[in-house]
Each structure stands twice: as C-alpha cells, then as structure tokens.
Amino acid sequence: MIKIEFDNVVKSLAGKVDSPRLEGRIIMGYVLKKDDNEIIPKTYTLTIEQHKQLESIIKQRSQGCPLDKIIGEKDFYKYRFKVSQDVLSPRPDTETLVEAAGKLIFKNNLKKVLDLGTGSGCILLSLLADFPSLFGVGVDISNKALTIAKENAQRLGVEQRCCFKELSWDDEKFADKLGEEFDMIVSNPPYIPREDIKGLDTGVKDYDPFGALDGGEDGYDHYRLIAKKVPQILSKEGYLLLECGINQAEDVKNIFEKQGLNWQKTLRDLGGVERCIILKK
Ligand code: GLN
C-alpha cells in the first residue's frame, strides 16, 4: 500500500495541463474507481497496481496525450462516450450542431437521421438519446470506429434504434448501398487542410486519427464528395447540418448550393466561430 496526497497529484500536473485540480480528480477517480466528485484534498491509500497506474497516467498526460484518450471516456453534450485512438475525440464545438439538429427534429417531428463519418457516434447517439422515437444510421469508413460507436449506442441504451454501416461516400454506389432516404443528414467530416495538420496541438495530431482530420489539400475534399451524394439520400424538405472549420463556412455553403441545396442558417460555436451550416433540400 502506498500513501498519496491528492495535492501532490495536482502539483505533478501543474504547468503541464490547463486544469490540474480538475484533471487530478478525474485521474484519481479513475484509478480508485470512484466518482471524481468524491475525490477531495486528503491522503489516499493506493495499492501498488493503482500507484503504477497513477504514475503512468501522469506521465502520459505530461507528454501531451489527451486525458480522454488515456482513460477512454469523454463527456460530450449531455452524455459520456467511450473513446479511443480510433475515433476523433468529441469536441464542445460540435455541441452547436447537436443542439441545432435537436431543435429541428423537435419542431419538424423528424424521424430518421443519417450521420456521415460518425466516429464515436457522439452526434447521432446524442440525438437518439434525446428523442426516443428517432431512428438513425451512422456511416464510417473505419470499422474500428464503428466498434466504438456500437458500444456507445449500447451504453446509452439506443442500440435498438440505430445501425452502423462501413461505407465510403467516395463509393459510386453509396446511395444504393445505404438503400434509403433520410429526413436529416448530419456530418462533422474531416476538414483540416492537409498542410495544417502538422501545426496542430500534439493532443490532436498525434492522438486523433489522421483520417478523421485530413480534409485534403484545401480542406474541402469531403464536403465536395458528400455534396454529390446528398441529393440522392436526403428526402424532400430534409435538413442537412454540417460542421466546418474556422473561415470555411462560406466555401462550404457554396459547395452545397451548387448541388441545389438551400442555405438556411450558419451558426457560431461558443468561441464565436462560424461552425455549423444548415441547409435544406
Ligand atoms: N474540430 C477538429 C479540430 O479542429 C477537427 C475535426 C474535423 O476535421 N472534423 O481539431
């Protein structure tokens, strides 16, 4: 048994992470299998195994590995998701899209949502958890990501109302393979211009899957591919909600307008960035 002062855990994170006390509580909670709110500034007694785990987590964290990738969980919107290095970590920026989608689903009584590039499933599954009569399909090119998404569907108890398909929107038969239309399509596709990726934070460029970030040379490759497919899979009057990166909203809007979609609104995230574009068929 090893005695550990909580304050020393906090000190070992200080200067290395933005919120050492908060993260210290999450880490201690994880190691001791307690709710992080129960962790208080006192001396804890750890087994040798727990102590090794604690040291290893602090080391990984100090080297820039994001906390959620270490402990395998991330809170997003109203729910907790399993994550791994096979999926993009859910970001608060994406909650803008989820909230906007929820308002439209409620107002228009929408029934069927498609999530393109579902990753952990955080967008689709948040919507299914909020709306008990909604059905959804999540598409991803990564089978490993879909395994995580399916697990998250079970955790949230919505697995009866969704299915997941390993498909590429670059596939000529994409629409046929999906085999149905949707009254809402949502997507947070990879949108970082390839050259910019090496300039991102370690926590992003080294731990999020490259394929979930890489938007091709100008960042718009996936929007162009998706735009070609949307008219075949979105039902009449259906809604399309897209996330985009900084200063991309106007270009993304134009790409989709060229395919006959009607722009409705562009929404800013909490950081003031134009983040979510809403279009209608
Ligand atoms: N929002 C992510 C970032 O900037 C990128 C996600 C994406 O390409 N869809 O780190």
Side-chain angles (χ1 to χ4, degrees):
M1 292 295 195
I2 298 170
K3 290 198 183 310
I4 292 285
E5 193 80 44
F6 176 68
D7 276 350
N8 287 335
V9 173
V10 176
K11 276 185 202 142
S12 61
L13 292 164
K16 295 171 186 146
V17 306
D18 286 344
S19 312
R21 207 166 291 282
L22 181 72
E23 289 205 14
R25 273 211 297 280
I26 296 173
I27 293 169
M28 279 298 264
Y30 179 74
V31 168
L32 294 166
K33 298 195 169 45
K34 280 179 192 268
D35 194 299
D36 31 296
N37 291 321
E38 284 176 45
I39 305 297
I40 52 167
K42 68 165 198 178
T43 303
Y44 286 92
T45 308
L46 273 62
T47 63
I48 293 178
E49 272 314 302
Q50 287 171 330
H51 184 248
K52 263 197 209 154
Q53 192 181 27
L54 175 68
E55 301 253 276
S56 149
I57 294 174
I58 292 173
K59 185 166 168 220
Q60 292 177 68
R61 192 66 192 102
S62 306
Q63 291 167 346
C65 181
L67 185 58
D68 64 308
K69 297 286 206 234
I70 303 173
I71 66 174
E73 281 189 338
K74 174 103 186 223
D75 289 344
F76 169 81
Y77 182 60
K78 285 153 51 178
Y79 305 105
R80 182 159 292 180
F81 292 88
K82 181 185 163 105
V83 299
S84 75
Q85 292 205 19
D86 296 318
V87 298
L88 185 88
S89 290
R91 319 273 209 261
D93 298 341
T94 305
E95 292 169 356
T96 303
L97 188 153
V98 174
E99 280 192 353
K103 281 183 194 161
L104 290 170
I105 291 166
F106 181 73
K107 191 167 161 216
N108 301 288
N109 196 21
L110 305 180
K111 292 287 172 229
K112 233 168 40 168
V113 180
L114 171 68
D115 182 7
L116 297 176
T118 197
S120 65
C122 67
I123 300 176
L124 178 69
L125 301 174
S126 294
L127 294 172
L128 291 174
D130 273 2
F131 296 95
S133 59
L134 189 67
F135 285 82
V137 175
V139 164
D140 209 289
I141 197 173
S142 158
N143 185 268
K144 287 180 174 167
L146 292 177
T147 303
I148 303 277
K150 283 176 198 163
E151 213 176 308
N152 280 322
Q154 297 222 328
R155 281 183 171 210
L156 294 184
V158 301
E159 74 278 8
Q160 309 283 7
R161 290 185 283 119
C162 61
C163 69
F164 293 97
K165 297 188 178 178
E166 188 183 340
L167 270 181
S168 163
W169 44 73
D170 202 9
D171 185 330
E172 266 178 38
K173 299 213 168 75
F174 184 67
D176 290 344
K177 287 183 182 172
L178 267 179
E180 56 188 321
E181 283 190 338
F182 296 84
D183 46 22
M184 175 176 274
I185 299 176
V186 293
S187 184
N188 173 17
Y191 53 64
I192 313 277
R194 193 165 297 153
E195 276 303 300
D196 295 356
I197 294 178
K198 42 183 186 296
L200 299 176
D201 287 348
T202 307
V204 177
K205 69 167 187 261
D206 296 335
Y207 297 95
D208 278 323
F210 182 79
L213 300 169
D214 178 27
E217 204 177 319
D218 64 358
Y220 300 123
D221 278 7
H222 293 285
Y223 296 106
R224 283 187 286 263
L225 291 168
I226 290 172
K228 279 196 214 146
K229 299 295 183 327
V230 162
Q232 306 163 50
I233 51 179
L234 187 60
S235 57
K236 196 166 170 277
E237 310 265 299
Y239 288 90
L240 170 67
L241 286 86
L242 298 158
E243 175 165 321
C244 67
I246 298 176
N247 295 328
Q248 290 182 326
E250 196 58 28
D251 290 337
V252 173
K253 171 179 176 250
N254 291 337
I255 291 170
F256 284 84
E257 281 183 332
K258 261 196 213 143
Q259 297 295 331
L261 282 124
N262 302 301
W263 175 81
Q264 306 278 297
K265 240 189 226 176
T266 296
L267 302 172
R268 290 178 192 271
D269 65 19
L270 293 175
V273 172
E274 288 189 327
R275 187 63 76 184
C276 172
I277 300 144
I278 306 178
L279 298 116
K280 202 171 173 191
K281 190 164 165 187

